[in-house]
Amino acid sequence: MSTAAAAEITPDLVSEHGLSAEEYERICAILEREPNLTELGVFSVMWSEHCSYKSSRVWLKDFPTEGPHVICGPGENAGVVDIGDGQAVIFKMESHNHPSFIEPYQGAATGVGGIMRDVFTMGARPVALMNALRFGRPEHEKTRHLVSGVVSGIGGYGNCVGVPTVGGEVNFDASYDGNILVNAMCVGLADTDKIFYAVAGGPGKPVIYVGSKTGRDGIHGATMASAEFDDSSDEKRPTVQVGDPFTEKLLIEACLELMAEDAIIGIQDMGAAGLTSSSVEMAGKSGVGIDLDLDHVPCREENMTAYEMLLSESQERMLMVLRPGREDVARKIFEKWDLDFAVIGETTDTGRLVVRHQGRIEADMPVQAVSNEAPQYRRPWNEPARPEPLGPDEVPAPASASAALKSLIGSAHLCSRRWVWEQYDHMVMADTVVRPGGDAGVVRVHGTRKALAITTDVTPRYVGADPFEGGKQAVAEAWRNLTASGARPLAITDCLNFGNPERPEIMGQFVGAVKGMSEACETLKFPVVSGNVSFYNETNGQGILPTPAVGGVGLIDDVATRATAGFKPEDETLLLVGAEHGHLGQSLYARALCDITHGAPPPVDLATERGNGDFVRQLITDGTVNTVHDCSDGGLYVAVAEMALASGRGADIQPGESGLVDHAVLFGEDQARYVIACPADKADEILSNAGESGVTVRIVGSVGGARLTVDGQDPISLEELRTAHEEWLPRYMSGG
């Protein structure tokens, strides 16, 4: 074979490509010879952790992925769920952690662009974006710079494309000092009879490149995302892609226009591993070969090699397989939108990837081996020790509950994220019904009375203490937040962020979290339809808190029956749905105010979650209540304070006669709980119905006034609370 890739393949070069000696031997056996440099590059990205899931696939099989509404589960660009009336919601969440730490603006921006392409690739118009962001300690020297760059990148890309960002999470913790997390989620809508998949069809079909030109940015991005950082991480900046949101907008419109022409057999985003992954994965799914002629690839830089073109992760590019004879129709559409269009190859019956450049064969490899035969590892793992519960009496009471509330709600943990979401256009497209800051973002299904509720959730400190319970809780909280908005939870996507899987303690965290999530998904009938695994999130051997982020989507049949957290009329009665145990282990109160970091997280009773949630959702659907808030971080007192701040109306909380100490009632983080407000004359009816349904509910206070009190005592004004809540983040970001 004649080849321009004549570099000597040394053990050091193999290692630089992220391949072990055993994996290299396996490649040589498959090829029955040594690979050249281009082939080594192709194997390295396709067999990387990021692309092949070689350390996680054996465990991901435990996830429940089917359900009565699921059209397409994991394995495609995004998950697809039927929402009735011939419509489907298509969604996915992915990580862009390593690029965002190295170059925060472009890393976050291209994360948004990439997740949108995963969705519109399948025929959906993106209608909402979410993000889940984790940063290091506020006092760390890099944190302010990283927050600024990431938020600017997300806003800059999403705003320009014209898709609303309707919610998300922002957390700070020392474990993310050397490795932040940027998880992006996109939700789109499509007709159920116009969904497109990443398949190549049979042989003899034209392979088409569309979008932006190829450059040298992002080469080895997938490999970089499959390794931990060290002190030289800044040197990896060339592996970060550069995005152009205006081109992305053109690409969305051009692809959707062509999709209406019955010209596309299959379509795939050129994401991680670029042209290599898109071509090999499409051919692999269809059992065909693929021949590529790189002389026809549109390039924006001179003298690019086959290696560079195949591994580039330049943004805003797609690969298509068209019906023969439809090339001119497609070309006219993409030229109209001022995008590159090129026929760069053809599907074959050889079962091989053959790459030509400048008259030479640069690669000749079996497609199935590259795409589907990456090694799968059952890594050694240690069962995490499960901590003992922390009794309420083991945590000291505050001198003043209201002062403790002010400290929590005005801290980095619970302060308002308004500074973040006001940089995002959350109203573009005019279908946003519930803006950022609530339990879930809500967007109307355009032209209908239906709406989608969307949330992202995980409590990493719970997962760090007990991965199994923490994994359960991440799913349960997403289910609860959708329920609190009045939505029927449909399915989840996930982004499983962990440290180095080659360390048994890290692999044990992963296994425990997946088992917990699986159990919760099964019990709550909340299947996993898409997702992403991000390993090697650590620097110099210091891993992040295990962070299996969950993105949930639910359906509101009539948007008029939605619920929000803010109090409505004065004099309503506050009810607490769910049993009180005063669980302070791993609570924000214990950790942030008492510096107590040991103890088990709150246990999650999934049957109770299901019963309590179904009860609350029925109250919302029936129109009995329209003020509901999930009770989570900070417990009851924080939940009521957030409801008060959302409305400008105060409340009085009654700790009750549970036998628990007051601070455990106020700040305990027991699960499966909601705070609801209802007219006083409806409270008895709700209590009676709860008793018949086996759901624990008690009156916990009343709405009114301009301050918060506990049994009429220890007052704090909403003005004082609001100042503490709203000022922390703007002051921090201004350097104050």
Side-chain angles (χ1 to χ4, degrees):
M1 178 180 68
S2 176
T3 177
E8 181 184 0
I9 308 301
T10 65
D12 284 347
L13 187 61
V14 171
S15 178
E16 287 172 12
H17 280 73
L19 293 165
S20 68
E22 293 76 15
E23 288 169 344
Y24 181 70
E25 290 177 6
R26 185 169 178 170
I27 291 167
C28 292
I30 288 169
L31 296 177
E32 298 181 342
R33 57 176 171 79
E34 288 195 340
N36 61 45
L37 179 61
T38 300
E39 293 167 332
L40 182 71
V42 168
F43 269 111
S44 77
V45 292
M46 293 304 299
W47 284 18
S48 68
E49 193 72 61
H50 190 76
C51 291
S52 73
Y53 295 86
K54 57 190 176 185
S55 298
S56 59
R57 189 175 297 186
V58 294
W59 298 106
L60 298 178
K61 293 174 184 177
D62 291 345
F63 280 147
T65 59
E66 298 179 350
H69 305 291
V70 175
I71 295 174
C72 177
E76 276 291 336
N77 285 299
V80 186
V81 178
D82 196 324
I83 59 169
D85 305 310
Q87 295 176 304
V89 57
I90 299 180
F91 59 99
K92 189 181 182 183
M93 180 160 58
E94 278 203 340
S95 61
H96 231 224
N97 304 334
H98 286 56
S100 299
F101 184 74
I102 296 168
E103 177 49 64
Y105 184 94
Q106 291 295 347
T110 52
V112 173
I115 198 62
M116 280 197 285
R117 288 193 299 278
D118 279 339
V119 167
F120 75 74
T121 292
M122 299 195 69
R125 178 171 292 280
V127 297
L129 294 166
M130 299 281 282
N131 52 74
L133 313 177
R134 267 90 193 178
F135 299 102
R137 293 164 294 154
E139 60 271 22
H140 189 273
E141 61 182 1
K142 285 189 174 183
T143 299
R144 189 179 289 109
H145 162 71
L146 291 168
V147 172
S148 177
V150 166
V151 171
S152 296
I154 291 169
Y157 205 99
N159 295 354
C160 290
V161 175
V163 178
T165 299
V166 298
E169 297 180 283
V170 180
N171 295 140
F172 298 88
D173 187 88
S175 75
Y176 307 110
D177 281 352
N179 198 124
I180 65 173
L181 302 184
V182 175
N183 296 170
M185 178 177 175
C186 182
V187 178
L189 288 167
D191 293 337
T192 54
D193 60 350
K194 294 178 181 175
I195 296 169
F196 293 82
Y197 298 97
V199 294
K205 308 296 190 298
V207 177
I208 312 298
Y209 173 119
V210 299
S212 290
K213 289 180 169 58
T214 294
R216 291 187 172 93
D217 52 318
I219 294 172
H220 283 304
T223 306
M224 181 265 291
S226 303
E228 63 186 79
F229 283 149
D230 54 29
D231 292 331
S232 65
S233 60
D234 282 348
E235 298 173 8
K236 298 180 181 180
R237 187 166 280 108
T239 63
V240 178
Q241 311 92 328
V242 178
D244 180 352
F246 298 104
T247 299
E248 179 99 345
K249 174 62 174 173
L250 299 178
L251 190 59
I252 291 172
E253 300 304 330
C255 286
L256 292 178
E257 183 175 338
L258 181 59
M259 286 168 173
E261 295 289 337
D262 192 33
I264 299 174
I265 293 174
I267 179 170
Q268 175 80 305
D269 165 40
M270 289 193 218
L275 179 57
T276 292
S277 64
S278 54
S279 58
V280 168
E281 288 174 2
M282 291 174 75
K285 288 178 181 178
S286 300
V288 298
I290 189 165
D291 279 13
L292 300 177
D293 187 342
L294 302 186
D295 292 351
H296 300 297
V297 170
C299 294
R300 66 168 184 262
E301 300 184 47
E302 294 182 356
N303 302 317
M304 289 191 70
T305 65
Y307 180 97
E308 292 171 328
M309 283 186 271
L310 286 172
L311 271 60
S312 167
E313 294 183 10
S314 295
Q315 297 292 284
E316 293 88 38
R317 302 179 303 157
M318 310 285 277
L319 196 70
M320 299 179 177
V321 175
L322 297 184
R323 301 187 190 283
R326 304 293 280 170
E327 295 94 326
D328 287 343
V329 171
R331 186 188 304 274
K332 288 177 182 178
I333 289 173
F334 281 89
E335 288 179 350
K336 180 185 80 171
W337 289 99
D338 198 25
L339 295 166
D340 279 293
F341 178 98
V343 179
I344 65 166
E346 183 179 49
T347 59
T348 68
D349 61 2
T350 65
R352 300 188 72 81
L353 168 67
V354 178
V355 180
R356 295 176 171 83
H357 182 46
Q358 296 179 346
R360 291 184 289 267
I361 294 178
E362 293 283 352
D364 187 351
M365 315 159 71
V367 166
Q368 291 299 324
V370 177
S371 64
N372 296 321
E373 295 180 19
Q376 291 189 36
Y377 297 122
R378 186 173 286 270
R379 303 273 191 196
W381 59 281
N382 295 338
E383 182 86 39
R386 306 190 75 170
E388 292 296 320
L390 185 69
D393 294 331
E394 298 178 63
V395 181
S400 163
S402 64
L405 172 67
K406 181 181 175 181
S407 294
L408 282 175
I409 212 160
S411 71
H413 302 291
L414 292 177
C415 70
S416 169
R417 272 44 176 165
R418 186 185 305 275
W419 182 91
V420 173
W421 57 258
E422 282 191 341
Q423 297 185 54
Y424 306 149
D425 188 339
H426 46 274
M427 296 304 292
V428 66
M429 301 181 80
D431 280 319
T432 302
V433 178
V434 176
R435 305 180 186 191
D439 286 318
V442 178
V443 292
R444 182 184 293 104
V445 177
H446 194 75
T448 75
R449 297 188 64 83
K450 297 184 295 188
L452 299 173
I454 310 160
T455 185
T456 57
D457 295 287
V458 66
T459 309
R461 64 183 187 276
Y462 290 176
V463 189
D466 186 332
F468 180 74
E469 287 296 327
K472 285 165 60 179
Q473 193 273 342
V475 174
E477 186 167 353
W479 193 86
R480 202 183 309 140
N481 279 326
L482 298 176
T483 294
S485 71
R488 183 173 71 255
L490 296 176
I492 72 166
T493 183
D494 59 53
C495 200
L496 309 179
N497 307 274
F498 290 80
N500 185 342
E502 297 167 48
R503 293 166 53 195
E505 65 272 21
I506 300 298
M507 201 63 210
Q509 292 175 342
F510 180 83
V511 172
V514 168
K515 287 183 175 182
M517 292 174 66
S518 298
E519 184 172 306
C521 289
E522 187 68 50
T523 302
L524 299 175
K525 305 304 177 188
F526 203 24
V528 181
V529 296
S530 60
N532 169 235
V533 176
S534 177
F535 278 134
Y536 297 97
N537 288 291
E538 57 182 69
T539 298
N540 293 327
Q542 184 64 45
I544 61 164
L545 277 173
T547 311
V550 171
V553 174
L555 179 66
I556 301 174
D557 293 318
D558 184 349
V559 71
T561 62
R562 70 187 182 279
T564 55
F567 296 138
K568 277 72 175 186
E570 296 273 349
D571 302 323
E572 285 202 320
T573 297
L574 286 179
L575 300 174
L576 177 64
V577 177
E580 296 169 275
H581 305 286
H583 195 102
L584 290 171
Q586 301 302 325
S587 68
L588 281 182
Y589 175 82
R591 292 177 66 94
L593 299 189
C594 305
D595 198 28
I596 297 174
T597 58
H598 63 277
V604 179
D605 184 319
L606 293 169
T608 301
E609 285 282 1
R610 182 73 185 265
N612 291 1
D614 289 348
F615 177 77
V616 169
R617 193 182 313 106
Q618 192 63 52
L619 291 177
I620 299 170
T621 303
D622 290 346
T624 304
V625 301
N626 63 3
T627 302
V628 181
H629 189 27
D630 164 45
C631 193
S632 55
D633 279 353
L636 171 63
Y637 205 0
V638 167
V640 173
E642 290 171 342
M643 298 170 85
L645 291 173
S647 61
R649 292 184 170 88
D652 179 58
I653 299 174
Q654 300 163 7
E657 300 178 356
S658 62
L660 295 168
V661 291
D662 282 358
H663 64 288
V665 174
L666 294 174
F667 298 109
E669 297 182 7
D670 304 309
Q671 299 295 292
R673 297 192 302 163
Y674 305 78
V675 180
I676 64 178
C678 70
D681 60 2
K682 289 188 177 181
D684 286 342
E685 179 185 350
I686 293 173
L687 290 168
S688 175
N689 291 340
E692 293 174 4
S693 301
V695 173
T696 300
V697 180
R698 78 168 176 94
I699 293 176
V700 75
S702 58
V703 177
R707 61 186 190 174
L708 291 182
T709 55
V710 179
D711 263 346
Q713 305 298 311
D714 198 14
I716 185 168
S717 72
L718 293 190
E719 182 180 359
E720 185 178 355
L721 268 183
R722 189 178 305 282
T723 298
H725 188 53
E726 295 285 351
E727 282 191 350
W728 188 90
L729 193 50
R731 185 174 64 246
Y732 171 72
M733 292 308 298
S734 67

